[in-house]
């Protein structure tokens, strides 16, 4: 089989079609174009128009960052702006994110980029990180490593096996959507993390109570200095973004799964 040239529009288009597990007939039907025309686009015999690049990107649900790459490969300028989260141009994004994170206090909430790196957090998050190896807290803090690495929070996650399976399944689905090679590397790394000795045998731990949502969600059960806390995690993304950085940003919130956790967090926040 010939290697796909991802530097050409034809190669990138074909790679995304295969990533979505679609045949040429499937994609042609979705795009309402002839299979012959799609075949010509994938072999380079035909050159796409700008509108066709965007139309096929929509059909394939290509992320904004990769849509820019498709446009460039097709000979067009990228149309989706991208700003570094730390740049002055991202002040509006940062202000909106900070407002959301602060509104979730006294519950932990943070924002992460497409590679699970933490870019912002509210005042409660640092209080949950006692005992974590300083190396894992060096920026950029990767949340997958922080959660699952033996020198991170792993030794304090009561339901470690359950939580690890949940995070890896989520990462696996993200890789299917983005085809991001860096995420694949992160997945392979995390799969090889050994279970910390302090939670050895956690696979035999009975399911933990998550309050009214027990049996419906995977909780995070964390041992802390203020007791065992039980959380339900939620993920929020911005709707209909047209800027790359914002489209890749996720807000992670840990909500109390029981009354005791909520009370403990309110007591903790009162001391700030």
């Amino acid at each position: 089989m010939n290697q796909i040239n991802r530097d050409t529009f034809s190669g990138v288009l074909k790679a995304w079609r295969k990533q979505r597990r679609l045949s040429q007939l499937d994609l042609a039907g979705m795009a309402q174009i002839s299979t012959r025309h799609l075949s010509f686009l994938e072999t380079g015999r035909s050159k796409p128009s700008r509108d066709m690049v965007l139309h096929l990107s929509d059909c394939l649900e290509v992320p904004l960052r990769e849509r820019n790459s498709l446009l460039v490969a097709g000979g067009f300028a990228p149309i989706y702006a991208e700003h570094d989260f730390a740049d002055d141009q991202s002040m509006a994004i940062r202000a909106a994110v900070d407002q959301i994170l602060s509104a979730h206090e006294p519950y932990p909430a943070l924002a992460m980029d497409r590679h699970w790196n933490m870019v912002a957090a509210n005042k409660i998050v640092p209080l949950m990180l006692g005992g974590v190896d300083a190396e894992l807290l060096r920026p950029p803090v990767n949340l997958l490593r922080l959660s699952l690495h033996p020198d991170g929070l792993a030794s304090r996650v009561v339901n470690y096996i359950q939580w690890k399976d949940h995070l890896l399944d989520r990462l696996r689905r993200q890789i299917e959507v983005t085809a991001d090679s860096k995420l694949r590397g992160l997945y392979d790394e995390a799969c090889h993390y050994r279970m910390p000795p302090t939670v050895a045998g956690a696979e035999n731990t009975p399911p933990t109570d998550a309050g009214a949502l027990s049996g419906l969600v995977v909780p995070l059960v964390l041992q802390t200095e203020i007791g065992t806390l039980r959380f339900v995690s939620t993920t929020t993304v911005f709707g209909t973004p047209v800027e790359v950085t914002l489209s890749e940003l996720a807000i992670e919130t840990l909500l109390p799964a029981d009354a005791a956790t909520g009370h403990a967090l309110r007591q903790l926040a009162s001391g700030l």
Side-chain angles (χ1 to χ4, degrees), residues 114-233:
R114 70 188 190 282
H115 291 138
W116 293 58
N117 293 320
M118 184 167 63
V119 297
N122 66 14
K123 297 177 182 178
I124 308 301
V125 171
L127 304 180
M128 303 284 101
L129 303 181
V132 171
D133 189 286
E135 191 63 30
L136 292 173
L137 295 177
R138 293 182 185 275
V141 177
N142 186 273
L143 294 172
L144 194 75
R145 293 191 185 100
L146 184 67
S147 300
L148 301 180
H149 194 283
D151 295 330
L153 293 173
S155 62
R156 290 167 30 199
V157 178
V158 175
N159 58 333
Y160 177 80
I161 298 297
Q162 189 183 28
W163 187 246
K164 180 179 180 180
D165 287 346
H166 162 68
L167 292 184
L168 290 182
D169 180 65
R170 175 177 164 185
L171 178 55
R172 186 165 48 246
R173 286 185 277 112
Q174 186 181 353
I175 292 170
E176 290 178 356
V177 171
T178 64
D180 191 307
S181 59
K182 191 170 182 177
L183 289 179
R184 288 195 183 99
L186 186 62
Y187 179 88
D188 291 340
E189 175 190 329
C191 283
H192 289 89
Y193 289 159
R194 294 184 178 181
M195 185 169 61
T198 52
V199 292
E203 66 268 31
N204 297 318
T205 303
T208 53
D209 179 23
L213 295 178
S214 179
L216 301 177
V217 298
V218 176
L220 169 62
V221 186
L222 191 65
Q223 293 175 344
T224 72
E225 295 178 353
I226 58 174
T228 300
L229 305 180
R230 293 172 172 82
F231 296 101
V232 172
S233 65

Side-chain angles (χ1 to χ4, degrees), residues 204-268:
N204 297 318
T205 303
T208 53
D209 179 23
L213 295 178
S214 179
L216 301 177
V217 298
V218 176
L220 169 62
V221 186
L222 191 65
Q223 293 175 344
T224 72
E225 295 178 353
I226 58 174
T228 300
L229 305 180
R230 293 172 172 82
F231 296 101
V232 172
S233 65
T234 66
T235 304
T236 304
V237 296
F238 288 88
T240 61
V242 292
E243 195 272 346
V244 173
T245 303
L246 193 61
S247 73
E248 297 172 339
L249 207 62
I251 306 293
E252 299 289 321
T253 308
L254 294 177
L255 301 174
D258 55 32
T261 298
H263 177 72
L265 290 172
R266 288 189 291 274
Q267 288 290 104
L268 184 65

